[in-house]
Amino acid sequence: MNIVEIQVNEELKSERIDKVLSTSNDEWSRSQVQIWIKDGLVKVNDKIIKTNYKCQVNDNIVVTIPDPEPLDVVPEQMDLDIYYEDQDVLVVNKPKGMVVHPAPGHLNGTLVNGLMAHCKDLSGINGVLRPGIVHRIDKDTSGLLMVAKNDMAHESLVQQLVDKTVTRRYKAIVHGTIQHDHGTINAPIGRDKVDRQSMTVTNVSSKVAVTHFHVLERFENFTFVECQLETGRTHQIRVHMKYIGYPLVGDPKYGPKKTLPINGQALHAGVLGFEHPRTKKYMEFEAPLPEEFEQVLQDIKNNR
């Protein structure tokens, strides 16, 4: 089992325990946290509590994460685009169209299947279907991901995400011409009440979400931007850019139906930086735009 301790600060005062825990780690869903609480795996000041417990300043929360179940995911040989690898971490450039980890009904062809065939020694903290996965990007988003090869690395990288010290910069093409050069979108994201498969900006059962962006190039009907994540919520950039009126080109869920010829959203996780869990040295990697993204951008420039 893995033990995680969290100290409650002034900012989290009077918040429900399940919300505090799910907000502290992007990989912990509120429903998963509630199961741990009901199973007695969460203690506050050495006492088992209920899901409606409201945290107080200096509360010491201890979460006992169960050991992962035996792994049922089948390793698959793949031609992975690996940017860096050592005994602790691996950085891979995920192509558009590839799912990061298996899910019921989709157990093959994922990045995890390929990683298991490649290195066979991924961390087990995230359980049966997501070994090694510290953070993820959408199926149709390309770009860099960091992967933990042992539990020590996993805990370090997750803590860096919680502390907001990981550099994650994305390039995107959006509909419309953004007039200001820089901006910050600070708007909470949660499940859409009508469409549970979609996310939306809402104050109901939501999590803090912050995206910074700056304009790289403007066109008549489009803008080429770079977005930097401060938090990492599901579909964050896609939801935030739609929220301010500039949805991503090609986005089938949040964008307009009339868009440019590209398969899925024009979004690429191009820059990833973090402190190495063992050496404590800051490392940063950059992956160029995929060919399809580059072609769409060139077509826009040619037709400006």
Side-chain angles (χ1 to χ4, degrees), residues 135-138 141-145 168-172 212 214 216 224-229 237 267-271 289:
H135 64 129
R136 56 190 184 273
I137 53 180
D138 300 332
T141 299
S142 57
L144 297 171
L145 282 167
R168 289 175 289 173
R169 296 205 301 270
Y170 291 65
K171 288 194 169 86
H212 308 283
H214 73 269
L216 297 173
F224 183 34
V225 299
E226 183 174 70
C227 298
Q228 179 154 339
L229 292 180
I237 292 173
L267 184 62
H268 175 64
V271 176
L289 293 174

Side-chain angles (χ1 to χ4, degrees), residues 222-284:
F222 304 97
T223 308
F224 183 34
V225 299
E226 183 174 70
C227 298
Q228 179 154 339
L229 292 180
E230 185 172 314
T231 57
R233 308 309 178 197
T234 302
H235 302 170
Q236 180 171 315
I237 292 173
R238 299 164 66 188
V239 171
H240 270 173
M241 295 312 291
K242 175 190 177 183
Y243 177 66
I244 64 170
Y246 301 98
L248 267 62
V249 162
D251 193 328
K253 188 180 289 288
Y254 304 105
K257 290 183 179 179
K258 189 175 181 181
T259 188
L260 297 176
I262 185 171
N263 296 312
Q265 61 272 4
L267 184 62
H268 175 64
V271 176
L272 176 65
F274 56 91
E275 181 185 275
H276 191 280
R278 191 178 300 273
T279 68
K280 308 305 178 185
K281 176 184 175 183
Y282 179 75
M283 310 172 72
E284 188 168 287

Side-chain angles (χ1 to χ4, degrees), residues 2 54 77 80 98 116 122 150 157 163 182 193 198 203 213 220 233 235 237 279 297 302:
N2 183 47
K54 293 192 175 179
Q77 291 295 332
L80 298 175
M98 177 184 280
M116 287 183 61
L122 301 172
N150 53 59
L157 295 175
D163 294 340
H182 306 275
K193 279 188 173 181
S198 296
N203 288 315
F213 71 88
E220 185 176 351
R233 308 309 178 197
H235 302 170
I237 292 173
T279 68
L297 187 60
N302 293 338

Side-chain angles (χ1 to χ4, degrees), residues 3-187:
I3 308 293
V4 176
E5 290 193 39
I6 296 171
Q7 198 80 13
V8 176
N9 55 28
E10 188 71 35
E11 184 182 342
L12 300 173
K13 180 183 177 182
S14 299
E15 294 282 4
R16 280 175 53 122
I17 183 75
D18 53 350
K19 182 178 181 181
V20 167
L21 291 177
S22 62
T23 302
S24 70
N25 187 325
D26 287 338
E27 291 296 324
W28 296 350
S29 69
R30 199 160 181 172
S31 57
Q32 177 63 73
V33 166
Q34 289 170 349
I35 291 172
W36 290 341
I37 293 172
K38 288 174 183 175
D39 288 345
L41 298 174
V42 177
K43 290 184 178 181
V44 177
N45 304 326
D46 294 325
K47 295 181 180 178
I48 293 176
I49 42 77
K50 296 183 178 180
T51 54
N52 62 355
Y53 174 82
K54 293 192 175 179
C55 295
Q56 302 302 315
V57 176
N58 294 326
D59 272 353
N60 185 52
I61 305 172
V62 177
V63 184
T64 302
I65 303 172
D67 289 332
E69 301 170 23
L71 199 59
D72 294 328
V73 181
V74 179
E76 296 177 44
Q77 291 295 332
M78 295 181 187
D79 186 16
L80 298 175
D81 187 10
I82 295 174
Y83 270 53
Y84 177 83
E85 183 177 9
D86 62 22
Q87 63 179 327
D88 300 307
V89 297
L90 179 150
V91 176
V92 60
N93 185 23
K94 184 191 82 69
K96 173 177 283 217
M98 177 184 280
V99 175
V100 171
H101 55 73
H106 196 125
L107 296 175
N108 304 109
T110 73
L111 180 62
V112 164
N113 293 107
L115 288 170
M116 287 183 61
H118 173 77
C119 55
K120 303 180 179 66
D121 56 350
L122 301 172
S123 74
I125 289 178
N126 266 339
V128 61
L129 296 179
R130 297 192 287 178
I133 300 303
V134 180
H135 64 129
R136 56 190 184 273
I137 53 180
D138 300 332
K139 174 186 175 183
D140 288 329
T141 299
S142 57
L144 297 171
L145 282 167
M146 54 187 181
V147 177
K149 296 181 70 176
N150 53 59
D151 290 356
M152 179 278 292
H154 196 123
E155 291 170 7
S156 171
L157 295 175
V158 166
Q159 190 59 51
Q160 290 180 56
L161 287 167
V162 171
D163 294 340
K164 302 175 184 175
T165 59
V166 176
T167 301
R168 289 175 289 173
R169 296 205 301 270
Y170 291 65
K171 288 194 169 86
I173 306 173
V174 300
H175 285 273
T177 306
I178 302 176
Q179 296 302 321
H180 35 288
D181 293 336
H182 306 275
T184 294
I185 309 163
N186 187 342

